[in-house]
Amino acid sequence: MMSRPFLLVFLLIILIITSQFEWRQQLVADLDSTPSINQKQHQISKREEAVKEKIILSQEKNIQRLNELVQSLQEQLSHCRGNNETRNSTVSHMSEQVIEVERQQILED
């Protein structure tokens, strides 16, 4: 009878020791994997930042090109307005001359 409770206690102690050993292995594995997870997350965030920077640089280049196009179009518009004003003033001047010639013809008649 003594041997049976002794055997049960012995088995219980072995069970406790082995379970603690497994827990320690899991803890060590978790601690070992934590830095690699942190490193991976750090690498991912670095890549994301690099991609964001590339996108920003690309957008800045596009904005610069658009600004140059706007400036070019404004210059063209200004040039066209100048030409239009010259034509309008020439037409206006010619109209005034035609009117004056017509007045003179009317006065002569």
Side-chain angles (χ1 to χ4, degrees):
M1 289 276 190
M2 278 298 258
S3 70
R4 190 171 189 182
F6 182 72
L7 181 63
L8 288 175
V9 169
F10 179 73
L11 288 175
L12 182 63
I13 291 173
I14 290 177
L15 182 66
I16 291 171
I17 291 173
T18 56
S19 66
Q20 286 182 353
F21 181 71
E22 289 176 6
W23 288 341
R24 285 183 187 161
Q25 282 183 338
Q26 287 176 353
L27 287 175
V28 169
D30 288 344
L31 290 176
D32 288 344
S33 67
T34 302
S36 66
I37 291 172
N38 287 338
Q39 288 175 348
K40 287 179 184 177
Q41 288 175 343
H42 185 65
Q43 289 173 351
I44 290 170
S45 65
K46 277 187 176 181
R47 288 179 191 153
E48 288 175 349
E49 287 297 319
V51 168
K52 288 178 183 177
E53 284 183 29
K54 287 180 182 178
I55 290 171
I56 289 171
L57 289 174
S58 174
Q59 289 176 342
E60 286 177 351
K61 286 179 184 178
N62 289 337
I63 289 170
Q64 181 63 32
R65 280 190 223 136
L66 289 173
N67 284 336
E68 290 170 359
L69 284 173
V70 166
Q71 185 177 3
S72 172
L73 290 172
Q74 286 175 337
E75 290 172 0
Q76 290 177 14
L77 179 62
S78 174
H79 181 71
C80 288
R81 284 181 179 162
N83 286 343
N84 196 18
E85 287 175 7
T86 302
R87 285 185 189 141
N88 285 343
S89 67
T90 302
V91 168
S92 174
H93 181 67
M94 290 176 73
S95 297
E96 289 174 5
Q97 287 178 348
V98 168
I99 292 171
E100 187 62 33
V101 168
E102 288 177 349
R103 280 186 196 166
Q104 288 177 358
Q105 286 178 352
I106 292 174
L107 288 176
E108 288 177 0
D109 287 341

